[in-house]
């Protein structure tokens, strides 16, 4: 994985944005997943397939964003501490 270089000042801002993006993607995924469950019982197969595709796409986006967030946090935690606690 590519680990972008950032200053210590911008890393929390970047991580917060990644967290927000992951949450947003999971909300979309949950909505699409719920619609897929409902559509599977009530609507034509094509509608259920569409909702399943949207859920899959949103989960994939959340996973990508979470992986990037993990990389950001890994880079932060593997750097030597400049201010000991």
């Amino acid at each position: 994985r590519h680990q972008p270089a950032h200053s210590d000042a911008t890393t929390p801002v970047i991580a917060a944005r990644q967290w927000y993006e992951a949450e947003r993607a999971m909300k979309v995924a949950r909505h699409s997943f719920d619609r897929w469950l409902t559509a599977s019982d009530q609507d034509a197969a094509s509608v259920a397939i569409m909702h399943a595709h949207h859920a899959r796409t949103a989960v994939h986006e959340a996973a990508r964003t979470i992986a990037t967030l993990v990389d950001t946090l890994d880079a932060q935690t593997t750097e030597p501490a400049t201010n000991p606690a």
Side-chain angles (χ1 to χ4, degrees):
R1 292 183 183 158
H2 177 269
Q3 294 200 10
H6 347 105
S7 73
D8 287 339
T10 61
T11 300
V13 173
I14 291 167
R17 186 177 310 127
Q18 292 165 343
W19 188 282
Y20 171 79
E21 289 173 7
E23 282 185 327
R24 184 179 47 82
M26 284 306 300
K27 285 179 185 177
V28 170
R30 183 65 211 199
H31 176 75
S32 295
F33 183 78
D34 289 343
R35 304 259 332 232
W36 171 69
L37 289 175
T38 302
S40 296
D41 294 336
Q42 299 173 0
D43 297 328
S46 60
V47 174
I49 291 168
M50 177 190 68
H51 291 305
H53 173 74
H54 289 169
R56 181 200 169 278
T57 300
V59 167
H60 181 73
E61 177 63 20
R64 184 197 64 74
T65 304
I66 290 168
T68 303
L69 175 59
V70 168
D71 287 346
T72 300
L73 295 171
D74 280 348
Q76 189 70 27
T77 59
T78 57
E79 294 176 4
T82 56
N83 293 331

